[in-house]
Amino acid sequence: MSVLGYLVIIFLLLLAVGVPVAVSMAIASIAAIAFGTDLPMVVVGQRMLAILDSFPFLALPFFVAAGVFMDRGGITQRLVDFSAIFVGRITGGLAQVLIGTNLVMSGISGAATADCAATGSVLIPALKRAGYSAAFASALTAAAATVGPIIPPSIMFVIYGAITNVSIGALFLGGVIPGLLMGLYLMIAAYVISKRRGYPKMVTPSWREVIRITIDALPALVMPVLVLGGIVGGVFTPTEAGAVAAVFCFLISTCVYRSLKLSEVPELLLQTGILTAAIMLIVSAASLIGWILARERVPDLLVVSFMNWTSSPIVFLACINIFLLLLGFFFEAVSLLILVTPVIMPLVYNYGIDPVHFGVMMCLNLTIALIHPPIGMNMFIVCAIGKVSVRDYTREVIPFLLVLILSLICVTYIPDLVLYLPRLLGG
Amino acid sequence: MPPVSSRFSRVAAAVDRVSSGLNACAEFILWVLVALTIVVTFVQVVFRYGLDSSLSWSEELARYLFVWVIFIGASVATRRRKHIFVEILVALMPRALRASAELLSIGASIVFFSVFAYVGWLLMLNAWQQYSTALDIRIAWVYATAPIGAGLSVLHLIAGLLQRWSGNEDPSPPLHPAVEGLE
């Protein structure tokens, strides 16, 4: 059996029976090296360690830490009040507030599932009390949290940028307009549904209230400006921006909002470390697989056969999107991003597609799987909080799923949605 | 002399205590390391802008701490069963089949972490004479985390296996870690 035979068969077999993704990759690679080549086993260690010694990847734990500090720090309720000033008076006001909160929160935190749990635990009970159905509240919460990985800072952009050597700053800027577009589409969908079902508007706050709420939310609103502004202005690298964000969120949550106790901090840092390790171990094992694939000239073969089949980037992008949406039924988003990116990049360059555009498109595509069965993590979180069954949830999530796919189509075929800001500001 | 099964369960419990004790140390080290990487990188920015003098060693130190975070964190993730896996087929399996799948999963993890601990150890020895550019420390101290983290993972996995066989522990793990974390 060939090297590739060992690699693919063992990898899929182990993956299917629930072996951790990183271990499946590594064992498949070890078997392929042992039985298919005469390389020494030490290359396993060399390859797996080489990619980890990386400054760009360091942004990953930093933005995770910033996110967990914020989520625990009482920021959610303040952002809810702040969003209500702008969108509360629309029909289905609280549903609109939920989307608005997610848009702002995404500018602070880097992780979709953490945002989803934070907004869900505050807003799903509030929505239920206001007369919304539990399934609708849960579905909207899960869907709205998908803007998290697209609006900067974003852990997925950090990973994609670090793997491909594409500017993480440009990816952050590129995500802004697509993220807002997703928010807009979700708001329209929520409006139409609320109108039909007669969901209520919210009470208008007084001017004094508006001022108090704005001042209260101000520290949290400074964060996205600080991160993006600092990166665009060349004040610091994305990794340094992550450290600044983490320190900033820590200070706001402990000193300004005072809802994060110092005794809770070790547990939060521990969670950050565990999540970082789980993701980076997959990055590490995937780099080993990528190295073997490159040695067997798989990316080259892929380029030749694809280019022979079609020369149209439009067809190529459609195929990739459908392929990734299908994979989303089985694989979790971050693992998929890490595994697919290195294999696909030669094709992306050969079709003349901008890697920043492609990165934003791919991350948007992969986040969609977070909200649908069978494995969507956001879905499980909101179903647990809202106490609804997956069946009821699924019926309510379909319209939101459709508008997210619509945003994916827009982002895929209107590259300027992504590339306008990076070009303008030179990220 | 007590019956074999109870002696076995005492041995299993003892191994588990070692595993849990070392993991407690690893968890403490892990959160301190995460805090240090954040502080070091933050200080780097402060020195460059606030004090107008760039640090030469901060980036290298942050990168090396990060490598330690990854492998110490990997061992904690093993103990807490927080590694990312594809759960859809396992969730559909009948109970008996699921137990064998879990055994296979633990076995595969033991094989991988053992191989990795071994090659990590070799790399560490190879790098003994190499020194880093900015901090001038032995590169071997950076690589040391690979055999340590992987070795700890093997210990945790074996401890879990012994506990399972001795019947000390409910063998069915939670299916959805994120959901479980909420309750």
Side-chain angles (χ1 to χ4, degrees), chain B residues 76-83 164 169-174 177:
Chain B
V76 176
T78 304
R79 169 89 200 177
R80 291 193 177 202
R81 297 181 189 167
K82 294 283 186 190
H83 281 297
R164 174 183 302 247
E169 183 198 35
D170 176 19
S172 59

Side-chain angles (χ1 to χ4, degrees), chain A residues 166-206:
Chain A
V166 169
S167 154
I168 294 173
L171 288 163
F172 277 12
L173 282 172
V176 173
I177 297 176
L180 293 176
L181 186 74
M182 291 160 78
L184 179 69
Y185 285 170
L186 287 171
M187 281 181 163
I188 294 172
Y191 176 80
V192 172
I193 296 169
S194 300
K195 198 86 183 169
R196 195 180 301 157
R197 299 186 189 169
Y199 289 146
K201 299 175 186 177
M202 289 173 80
V203 188
T204 318
S206 69

Side-chain angles (χ1 to χ4, degrees), chain A residues 294-318:
Chain A
R295 220 173 150 272
E296 298 294 315
R297 312 188 60 77
V298 171
D300 299 350
L301 283 171
L302 214 58
V303 167
V304 172
S305 43
F306 237 99
M307 299 291 277
N308 277 341
W309 178 62
T310 173
S311 60
S312 155
I314 296 175
V315 177
F316 166 71
L317 286 176

Side-chain angles (χ1 to χ4, degrees), chain B:
Chain B
M1 218 172 100
V4 181
S5 64
S6 101
R7 204 164 64 194
F8 179 63
S9 106
R10 277 217 310 274
V11 171
V15 174
D16 189 59
R17 270 200 300 279
V18 175
S19 147
S20 136
L22 286 176
N23 183 60
C25 300
E27 289 188 356
F28 178 78
I29 293 171
L30 180 57
W31 78 257
V32 173
L33 285 172
V34 174
L36 278 178
T37 44
I38 296 174
V39 170
V40 167
T41 310
F42 183 72
V43 166
Q44 172 174 317
V45 180
V46 171
F47 264 78
R48 196 165 64 234
Y49 286 97
L51 306 171
D52 207 27
S53 64
S54 291
L55 297 176
S56 59
W57 48 267
S58 54
E59 182 179 320
E60 191 179 277
L61 179 59
R63 278 191 284 115
Y64 290 167
L65 289 169
F66 182 49
V67 177
W68 271 80
V69 165
I70 294 164
F71 289 102
I72 297 300
S75 80
V76 176
T78 304
R79 169 89 200 177
R80 291 193 177 202
R81 297 181 189 167
K82 294 283 186 190
H83 281 297
I84 299 164
F85 66 100
V86 177
E87 50 213 326
I88 168 137
L89 276 180
V90 185
L92 294 174
M93 283 176 189
R95 227 184 145 68
L97 202 57
R98 194 189 287 179
S100 345
E102 278 162 19
L103 275 186
L104 183 62
S105 162
I106 296 172
S109 301
I110 290 178
V111 171
F112 161 66
F113 283 116
S114 307
V115 172
F116 195 73
Y118 174 66
V119 295
W121 174 255
L122 291 183
L123 284 175
M124 191 185 101
L125 295 184
N126 285 346
W128 189 250
Q129 295 299 333
Q130 295 168 26
Y131 292 84
S132 72
T133 44
L135 292 163
D136 200 35
I137 54 166
R138 286 183 198 275
I139 301 283
W141 295 130
V142 183
Y143 288 173
T145 181
I148 293 175
L152 280 174
S153 292
V154 174
L155 173 69
H156 298 324
L157 289 162
I158 290 176
L161 212 52
L162 292 179
Q163 286 289 72
R164 174 183 302 247
W165 282 334
S166 65
N168 286 349
E169 183 198 35
D170 176 19
S172 59
L175 259 186
H176 298 294
V179 178
E180 165 226 13
L182 284 169
E183 286 159 356

